[in-house]
Amino acid sequence: MSSALLTGSICLRTLQNNEQFKLTRRSIDTAYAVMDDTNENRQLLQRLSVPFLFSEGTLIIPGEQAGKISRFSNLELLPLIEQGELVLNDPVHRQLLSTLIQSILPRSRTTGEHCAFITPGSTSTSALSKLVSQLIALQGYKPFATTITLAAGLSSLPAASRFSGYVVYLGHSHSEIGLIHQSRVVARQSTPYGSEWMDEQLAHAYKLLTKNPDGEMVPDLAGARDKRLGPEVSLSPYLSSPSAISSWYDSLLDSLLDQFVSQMASIQAYTSTLATLPVIYLGELATVNGLGELLAQHLNSREIQFDAQQVVCIPDAADAIIRGALVIAAMEEESSAQAA
């Protein structure tokens, strides 16, 4: 049985394929809430059948239950992962991540089962990636770190292209672009900017503020997100009055593509032999109107050759990524079996 784990900034997802080729999906939110460890609070949580963890005089409420509790109390929902990183020296965060992974990744049934995994951020060799690898191994799997570029490409690039093309991911904590040729990543570039960064910029630009549970005025990130996703927003470069939000997308694509072009130049002799390839784009920032046209304009301006008739948005990024990661796990298992 092969498995895949997607450690996202907002939730964890697993996808497993058993011997009968039956897929099992599981997910859990990564947000959590903290309450003082008192008899009253313990009794409240027990009456509500809400699971919790103990840590240094506090009660930690993980996952979806934290959201339910926060809706009728003044408890703040806290992110386990911020800016693509986990506070690794915080025992609460390590314990919570371990608990969440155990809850959605059952122990392996046989030896040799692989689990391909992806962590947030721009690198698969980060400290968080190493910790997730250790936690997967404790569940009895052989962990294998992979990238969003490869996973999304394997699941979403057309078979007619022999799984070759460009993958553009505009995510929560980071963005990346990669060139895949026949199921192999030829070039890949990432930048630590995504919807988290953009909503902060928009909140400041539009002076959007809200009060936190302590009564302090802070940037209204939810309001910024609503403005970014408004039905009137279009990024099309062919409009007479393009959206003001377009400039932030331009900045993000500039940051991503300028360095990618340098990589492509270094392998120009190789890429010049390739056919004109399709482009897929996905992620939290990818579903806005006109992004395909804006992306095509940026690729053209940098003389990247691509099929302008095949610039396609993949609407469910998480599903596409974890399906591709499961394919990678199955490929690794097959390679290991052949080498044995």
Side-chain angles (χ1 to χ4, degrees):
M1 181 171 71
S2 50
S3 304
L5 168 66
L6 175 59
T7 309
S9 297
I10 298 174
C11 75
L12 303 183
R13 298 171 185 259
T14 57
L15 183 61
Q16 295 184 294
N17 188 16
N18 64 18
E19 294 80 1
Q20 289 76 42
F21 302 104
K22 179 181 178 181
L23 293 177
T24 302
R25 302 170 187 267
R26 300 181 182 89
S27 67
I28 190 168
D29 293 347
T30 56
Y32 69 99
V34 178
M35 300 179 75
D36 292 333
D37 187 1
T38 64
N39 287 332
E40 292 82 356
N41 285 338
R42 289 194 187 200
Q43 291 171 5
L44 171 64
L45 296 177
Q46 289 166 354
R47 283 200 308 271
L48 297 174
S49 299
V50 173
F52 55 89
L53 309 173
F54 305 98
S55 180
E56 301 177 351
T58 60
L59 305 178
I60 310 299
I61 307 162
E64 294 178 6
Q65 298 297 333
K68 294 178 181 178
I69 291 293
S70 70
R71 280 195 285 272
F72 66 83
S73 69
N74 61 352
L75 290 181
E76 183 181 5
L77 269 181
L78 302 171
L80 176 62
I81 298 171
E82 284 189 283
Q83 305 295 328
E85 294 293 337
L86 181 85
V87 183
L88 296 176
N89 60 358
D90 187 330
V92 173
H93 283 188
R94 295 175 67 93
Q95 180 187 2
L96 183 53
L97 180 62
S98 175
T99 300
L100 294 177
I101 288 178
Q102 289 176 26
S103 70
I104 63 169
L105 184 66
R107 286 194 60 82
S108 63
R109 298 179 181 179
T110 61
T111 58
E113 293 184 25
H114 282 64
C115 180
F117 71 94
I118 296 170
T119 53
S122 57
T123 173
S124 59
T125 59
S126 65
L128 174 56
S129 180
K130 293 176 182 177
L131 175 59
V132 171
S133 178
Q134 293 169 1
L135 295 174
I136 291 172
L138 289 174
Q139 294 298 95
Y141 300 88
K142 290 185 177 179
F144 182 81
T146 188
T147 64
I148 288 174
T149 291
L150 181 57
L154 290 180
S155 69
S156 302
L157 283 171
S161 72
R162 298 184 179 180
F163 300 103
S164 300
Y166 294 94
V167 177
V168 180
Y169 172 73
L170 306 178
H172 183 76
S173 60
H174 86 290
S175 299
E176 62 184 74
I177 182 174
L179 169 61
I180 296 179
H181 184 226
Q182 296 182 1
S183 304
R184 185 171 66 91
V185 178
V186 176
R188 175 176 171 269
Q189 181 61 48
S190 63
T191 186
Y193 304 114
S195 63
E196 201 170 31
W197 163 81
M198 188 173 292
D199 289 344
E200 289 177 355
Q201 305 309 309
L202 293 175
H204 289 294
Y206 289 103
K207 296 180 172 57
L208 301 175
L209 298 172
T210 188
K211 286 186 179 180
N212 66 13
D214 296 326
E216 301 169 331
M217 299 303 294
V218 295
D220 182 4
L221 301 183
R225 180 178 183 274
D226 290 342
K227 182 173 285 290
R228 169 171 58 81
L229 295 176
E232 74 284 356
V233 174
S234 176
L235 306 181
S236 174
Y238 306 114
L239 294 176
S240 56
S241 299
S243 167
I245 296 175
S246 297
S247 62
W248 298 105
Y249 274 86
D250 283 329
S251 297
L252 175 57
L253 292 174
D254 285 341
S255 172
L256 190 61
L257 290 172
D258 287 347
Q259 297 180 59
F260 183 67
V261 167
S262 298
Q263 277 197 52
M264 294 288 287
S266 67
I267 56 171
Q268 197 275 333
Y270 177 83
T271 57
S272 64
T273 66
L274 302 181
T276 304
L277 298 175
V279 177
I280 61 171
Y281 60 97
L282 69 166
E284 285 189 33
L285 292 174
T287 56
V288 64
N289 293 331
L291 177 58
E293 297 170 358
L294 183 66
L295 175 60
Q297 184 186 68
H298 275 265
L299 294 173
N300 277 321
S301 69
R302 291 165 175 81
E303 300 183 347
I304 296 177
Q305 300 299 313
F306 65 98
D307 186 346
Q309 303 303 314
Q310 294 193 72
V311 181
V312 178
C313 177
I314 308 301
D316 192 339
D319 181 67
I321 292 166
I322 201 163
R323 283 191 289 108
L326 186 64
V327 171
I328 293 168
M331 292 168 61
E332 287 299 313
E333 280 192 5
E334 184 177 350
S335 296
S336 297
Q338 291 176 351

